[in-house]
Every structure is written in C-alpha cells, then in structure tokens.
C-alpha cells in the first residue's frame, strides 16, 4: 500500500506552509499474511508540541502505541480470515514478522488475535468489511464510513470476507 502524506506547519514568520509532501516512508506488506499491511503515517511518543520534529517521526520497527499523551496515526489493511485458516499459513512466521514490525503489539497479542493496548483508539473503515470482536465473542460488523472509539478495550479484528479491509486509526496513549 502506498499513501501520500502532506505535513503542514509554520515558517519563521508564523505563516502556514507545507513542510513535506510525499509517500509515507514506512509501510509494510506482511509476507506471512498476504493482504495484511500497516502504514505508519505519524507518531508522537508523548505530549505534542506542534513543532515539526527534527527527524522522521515514524519507524517501521518502532512502537505503534504511543506513551501517555502521545498519538499514533496508522492505516491497517486486514487480510481475509481465510489467509490464517489456510493449511499453508505459518503462525510462527506471522508472529515473528509481527514482532519485527510492531513489537509492542506482538507483546500484547493472544494466540486468537485478541489484544488490549494502553490507548484510546479512534478508527474509521475506509474500505471492505471488518468485525470488531470483544470479550465473550461479541462481534460488531463495520463497513465503509463506520467509526469506532475503543477505550483501552480488549478486542480483535476479523475479516470474514475474501477481500482485504482497510481501517485508519489514531491511537492516543493513556496511563492505564
């Protein structure tokens, strides 16, 4: 997946300007899960200052979930569940790839995909259909334009269709 990122700020005289305009530098298409991708749009580890960072704020191997007061903007394309149900699927390889490209998420993932992050997450489905699974197997179907706000809730994402589904998220770090 390729996404354009336009970053604006202010020049030395306080006028708004484009600081950068180009393809997001850090995205990853998962080899172990065809159709699964993540794009790191922007990352602020702690409280934002509104000033441009000295260096690229994203890291393809760095955290996805920010610390308290921080924010992370990511786009995730979810592979169909049939990919992980295939006899060719290698869960060990998938786990290792997740550990390489999203180590903080890999650390909280359960074998069934359920996980809880220390963040309030705002999501919007861009395309496809996904099911948000909560405790006790309760699931909510989401389609393009649907939004979700997760308050550090344990959850998993399920794609019951045969096409990838894409969701944009902003994660804001919380203390607990």
């Amino acid at each position: 997946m390729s996404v354009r990122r336009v970053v604006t700020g202010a020049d030395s005289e306080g006028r708004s300007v484009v600081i950068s305009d180009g393809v997001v530098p850090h995205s990853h298409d998962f080899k172990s899960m065809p159709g699964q991708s993540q794009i790191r749009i922007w990352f602020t580890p702690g409280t934002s200052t509104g000033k441009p960072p000295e260096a690229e704020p994203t890291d393809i191997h760095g955290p996805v979930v920010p610390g308290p007061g921080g924010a992370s903007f990511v786009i995730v394309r979810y592979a169909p569940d049939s990919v992980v149900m295939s006899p060719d699927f290698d869960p060990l390889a998938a786990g290792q790839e997740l550990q390489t490209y999203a180590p903080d998420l890999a650390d909280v993932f359960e074998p069934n995909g359920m996980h809880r992050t220390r963040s309030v997450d705002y999501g919007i489905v861009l395309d496809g259909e996904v099911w948000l699974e909560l405790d006790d197997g309760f699931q909510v179907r989401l389609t393009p334009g649907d939004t979700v706000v997760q308050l550090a809730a344990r959850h998993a994402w399920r794609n019951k269709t045969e096409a990838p589904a894409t969701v944009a998220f902003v994660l804001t770090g919380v203390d607990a």
Side-chain angles (χ1 to χ4, degrees), residues 1 28-39 75-84 89 97 127 130 159 161-167:
M1 268 175 62
H28 179 72
D29 295 327
F30 285 80
K31 308 290 183 266
S32 61
M33 293 180 60
Q36 186 85 13
S37 301
Q38 68 173 359
I39 299 175
I75 296 175
V76 179
R77 184 173 61 197
Y78 293 98
D81 287 357
S82 60
V83 170
V84 298
F89 178 69
E97 193 171 14
D127 68 14
V130 292
N159 180 350
T161 73
E162 289 305 314
T166 308
V167 183

Side-chain angles (χ1 to χ4, degrees), residues 1-5 22-29 37-41 75 77 126 166:
M1 268 175 62
S2 178
V3 171
R4 178 181 176 198
R5 177 181 73 183
V23 175
V24 172
H26 296 296
S27 65
H28 179 72
D29 295 327
S37 301
Q38 68 173 359
I39 299 175
R40 309 273 182 99
I41 307 292
I75 296 175
R77 184 173 61 197
L126 301 176
T166 308

Side-chain angles (χ1 to χ4, degrees), residues 134-152:
L134 303 175
D135 284 331
D136 299 327
F138 181 81
Q139 295 186 9
V140 176
R141 178 177 171 255
L142 300 165
T143 60
D146 289 345
T147 61
V148 62
V149 177
Q150 295 189 115
L151 305 175

Side-chain angles (χ1 to χ4, degrees), residues 94-175:
Q96 290 172 340
E97 193 171 14
L98 185 63
Q99 185 67 46
T100 298
Y101 293 99
D104 57 334
L105 290 181
D107 290 345
V108 298
F109 263 71
E110 300 168 28
N112 65 358
M114 294 294 283
H115 59 285
R116 180 189 318 251
T117 57
R118 295 178 127 189
S119 59
V120 171
D121 306 342
Y122 306 97
I124 183 166
V125 178
L126 301 176
D127 68 14
E129 296 179 6
V130 292
W131 281 255
L132 172 61
E133 182 176 338
L134 303 175
D135 284 331
D136 299 327
F138 181 81
Q139 295 186 9
V140 176
R141 178 177 171 255
L142 300 165
T143 60
D146 289 345
T147 61
V148 62
V149 177
Q150 295 189 115
L151 305 175
R154 183 173 173 266
H155 67 283
W157 293 99
R158 310 290 184 208
N159 180 350
K160 300 178 185 184
T161 73
E162 289 305 314
T166 308
V167 183
F169 293 100
V170 173
L171 291 75
T172 58
V174 297
D175 285 323

